[in-house]
Amino acid sequence: MASNKTRVIARMDRVVNDFVARCRYFREPMTRGRAKMFVMQHRLNTRQRNSVLKLKVATNCTDWDTRIRIIQACSEEVIADHEHGGGRPHWQILEDLGVRIGLDRAAIRRARPLPSTRLCWAAWEGLMANRHWLEGIVANTCAERANIPGYGKGRIRKAGWFGLERHRWGRLFKLSDDELEFFELHEAADIAHSNQGWRAVERFAKQYHMEDAVVAACEQNLNVWEHYLDGIAAAGDQLR
Ligand SMILES: [Fe+2]
């Protein structure tokens, strides 16, 4: 990470670093049950976030270019990603991965959000729909930020969150990098998506006197992400 970054960016990076370092989901071993639950919940979560929550942030955004980029990123997630995903939406690529690890496609589609997932959606609604768009864009991008190498320790620091997942899912299920494309494509897509958020903070936080607010938004949103992942782990541990 560049050493000439502004103070507010350095503070946000510290918050992401703390999240990556403490989150049990990253530190505890991946299991078949957790991986299966991740597919079922994250397919729903990515649809909810990108067709509902992030669009509320776009609606509130007063900077035209930023607003269009948010909509563009959402469209890659839920409609078609021509840049990284061969024209498929990300939730569908995740569905294909679910089939490869032994889930039945109909069962993936039947899955309902866990109570913990629903609680997170309600929390994010509060942190995204009715806030200043600059806090909203931090909410949109702070978890994707963890996919960028440089946060936490060990493999996640070297490869980012989804680089870590690609490694451990590959070992657990004997899948090739091609078969783990969901994680691989995010390593590129998320650098682009999360850079939008960090760049907007760099451009606007000082001007809007919102440096403390964006750092607080980053903390609160990542606390919700931690709850979401803990919920997946707990429910995944009940699966066979
Ligand atoms: Fe995605």
Side-chain angles (χ1 to χ4, degrees):
M1 271 164 267
S3 56
N4 60 350
K5 62 191 173 189
T6 59
R7 223 176 95 71
V8 65
I9 293 295
R11 289 171 68 193
M12 299 240 298
D13 281 338
R14 252 194 318 273
V15 171
V16 175
N17 191 69
D18 290 349
F19 163 71
V20 168
R22 75 171 180 265
C23 197
R24 284 175 41 201
Y25 190 86
F26 306 140
R27 297 201 337 246
E28 294 175 0
M30 183 50 58
T31 64
R32 289 175 176 271
R34 289 183 181 195
K36 287 178 177 173
M37 190 55 68
F38 177 82
V39 168
M40 292 189 283
Q41 293 302 303
H42 206 63
R43 173 182 172 278
L44 293 169
N45 190 43
T46 190
R47 286 163 45 138
Q48 177 75 5
R49 286 182 57 84
N50 288 287
S51 72
V52 179
L53 297 166
K54 293 188 191 177
L55 293 177
K56 292 181 190 280
V57 176
T59 299
N60 293 336
C61 182
T62 50
D63 181 67
W64 176 261
D65 291 338
T66 305
R67 183 194 293 174
I68 294 304
R69 279 197 294 269
I70 295 170
I71 296 170
Q72 175 94 44
C74 289
S75 158
E76 289 178 3
E77 294 278 351
V78 287
I79 299 173
D81 185 348
H82 297 286
E83 184 120 9
H84 316 97
R88 291 159 304 159
H90 293 185
W91 58 265
Q92 197 183 337
I93 297 168
L94 183 56
E95 201 177 287
D96 292 343
L97 175 59
V99 172
R100 279 182 211 119
I101 66 166
L103 282 167
D104 178 49
R105 196 177 295 273
I108 300 174
R109 292 185 179 168
R110 266 201 314 273
R112 305 303 307 148
L114 293 168
S116 51
T117 299
R118 281 192 194 282
L119 187 65
C120 291
W121 290 353
W124 281 323
E125 170 111 16
L127 291 166
M128 294 161 90
N130 248 330
R131 293 292 178 105
H132 191 283
W133 69 267
L134 201 58
E135 293 166 289
I137 202 167
V138 170
N140 283 7
T141 55
C142 62
E144 293 174 329
R145 197 76 197 162
N147 287 339
I148 296 180
Y151 300 104
K153 278 189 247 166
R155 189 173 293 274
I156 198 164
R157 182 178 194 89
K158 226 186 280 165
W161 171 21
F162 278 4
L164 167 70
E165 298 301 11
R166 189 151 60 96
H167 173 77
R168 51 191 197 171
W169 287 51
R171 283 179 52 171
L172 190 57
F173 298 105
K174 308 276 177 282
L175 294 174
S176 68
D177 277 353
D178 279 357
E179 291 171 310
L180 292 161
E181 61 176 335
F182 175 76
F183 297 121
E184 197 167 15
L185 85 92
H186 277 103
E187 292 162 39
D190 285 348
I191 289 175
H193 293 172
S194 80
N195 275 344
Q196 288 173 17
W198 258 234
R199 222 175 282 140
V201 166
E202 212 159 25
R203 277 181 61 198
F204 295 105
K206 200 178 163 113
Q207 182 188 333
Y208 292 164
H209 305 291
M210 286 184 62
E211 285 142 309
D212 292 342
V214 293
V215 173
C218 194
E219 270 167 8
Q220 288 167 4
N221 276 281
L222 289 175
N223 284 338
V224 182
W225 273 96
E226 191 173 0
H227 186 80
Y228 167 72
L229 293 171
D230 281 351
I232 289 174
D237 291 347
Q238 305 299 313
L239 278 183
R240 296 261 117 198

